[in-house]
Amino acid sequence: MKFTGCIAVITGASKGIGKAMAQQFAAHGAKVAVLDIDAPAGEAVVQAIHEAGGEALFLRADVGDPASMEQAAEQVQNTFGGTDILCCNAGIYPQAFLETMTEADWDAVHRVNLKGMFFTVKAFLTMLKRSKRGRIVLTSSITGPITGFPGWAHYGSTKAGMLGFMRSAAIELAKYGITVNAILPGNIATEGLGEIGEEYRRKMEAMIPFKRLGRPEDVAYAALFFASEEANYITGQTLVVDGGQVLPESSLALEDF
Ligand code: NAP
């Protein structure tokens, strides 16, 4: 897959899955805009891309703030001259159990994960419409659309909501040749997930047929596919990247046979 001459914008790209997307798009020839609220980490991603011979730009942008996203879009336009690929990846996943979950907890997760996706698409839509290969790739999750987990009711709501958005957006934007697809990662070993702890990691690995957590690159490769020229006739679709995590009917299915 070649992305020479393409401009890719990735939110939440200072760490984890977004960082891997930025590095992979750059390694495959795209100019990359790294958008995130963590400036030092984002600048380090850009520096690593430059050292590897790629082209990238860091912009401090909060996806939950429409003015911040409009400003970032203007800077991408001024620096790179447009946008072909938009990866709406920024997301947060703090745990909160229903009995103690506050409205503020609920709103904070929806602000970043769901409204943030909407504000990102809105800000970059004019440039995507001008592109010959407009692509929107959403980072949803298995949590919400397929699975559930205690403490993530608000998170699951946002990740399922992203797919509802995707299906209508895919129809609306088809007339501009823009595709809208979503990746549903399983448990991926990122900085964000790291805080959950070693015991959780061991238990999760035991439940995954591949017996390992996903790597950020595993998700980035799916983004490259949806963004490729070859995927031009695929829209409104989902791709699960989880090492088979959602497959077992019960733990019996994972016992030795
Ligand atoms: P991560 O390691 O925590 O990285 C996410 C990045 O987004 C961080 O740099 C974070 O900054 C930034 N960010 C947070 N709020 C933002 C905002 N308002 N605007 C812009 N950037 C913001 O996360 P990840 O694990 O790579 O997850 C990336 C995406 O994949 C999320 O949408 C997540 O829901 C989804 N996902 C992850 C997994 C997994 O197992 N890791 C599984 C399924 C889906 P700070 O660190 O400063 O907050």
Side-chain angles (χ1 to χ4, degrees):
M1 289 177 281
K2 293 245 186 305
F3 294 94
T4 311
C6 288
I7 297 142
V9 174
I10 297 140
T11 65
S14 289
K15 303 186 195 86
I17 291 169
K19 173 181 168 182
M21 287 177 177
Q23 290 179 319
Q24 287 302 321
F25 275 113
H28 287 77
K31 293 178 190 170
V32 175
V34 171
L35 273 56
D36 204 288
I37 51 172
D38 185 341
E43 296 287 8
V45 173
V46 166
Q47 196 183 330
I49 289 173
H50 287 164
E51 282 165 8
E55 204 170 331
L57 159 79
F58 174 74
L59 295 171
R60 197 192 175 285
D62 176 355
V63 295
D65 174 0
S68 172
M69 293 315 290
E70 291 294 340
Q71 199 182 2
E74 201 179 314
Q75 285 172 287
V76 171
Q77 170 65 49
N78 292 342
T79 309
F80 289 150
T83 299
D84 304 293
I85 298 155
L86 180 64
C87 296
C88 299
N89 170 77
I92 56 172
Y93 37 91
Q95 267 192 312
F97 298 99
L98 282 176
E99 283 184 59
T100 48
M101 187 188 291
T102 62
E103 185 178 356
D105 294 331
W106 178 270
D107 286 346
V109 173
H110 282 75
R111 175 186 178 274
V112 177
N113 298 9
L114 203 48
K115 287 177 81 174
M117 169 200 62
F118 168 61
F119 295 146
T120 303
V121 169
K122 287 279 279 184
F124 286 89
L125 193 51
T126 305
M127 281 188 272
L128 288 168
K129 281 167 63 179
R130 280 205 307 269
S131 168
K132 289 193 182 71
R133 188 209 285 192
R135 299 277 190 273
I136 298 173
V137 182
L138 310 176
T139 310
S140 172
S141 176
I142 58 169
T143 311
I146 302 177
T147 63
F149 202 89
W152 277 340
H154 52 356
Y155 176 75
S157 160
T158 65
K159 293 294 163 177
M162 290 175 82
L163 301 189
F165 169 92
M166 174 190 75
R167 296 191 177 98
S168 293
I171 298 170
E172 277 190 44
L173 301 182
K175 66 180 169 198
Y176 306 115
I178 299 172
T179 68
V180 191
N181 293 291
I183 304 167
L184 279 58
N187 281 79
I188 311 300
T190 64
E191 287 88 333
L193 202 72
E195 289 163 19
I196 281 171
E198 200 45 46
E199 197 192 342
Y200 174 87
R201 170 192 273 263
R202 268 199 313 276
K203 285 182 177 167
M204 285 311 304
E205 284 174 344
M207 294 302 295
I208 300 169
F210 270 46
K211 301 295 178 206
R212 67 166 177 88
L213 298 191
R215 292 179 285 252
E217 292 74 24
D218 296 325
V219 184
Y221 298 140
L224 293 187
F225 169 66
F226 275 140
S228 68
E229 181 54 41
E230 290 82 353
N232 71 94
Y233 203 54
I234 301 173
T235 195
Q237 300 305 310
T238 57
L239 185 53
V240 173
V241 180
D242 73 342
Q245 186 177 334
V246 300
L247 296 178
E249 277 182 15
S250 76
S251 57
L252 281 178
L254 293 164
E255 285 183 3
D256 267 346
F257 50 87

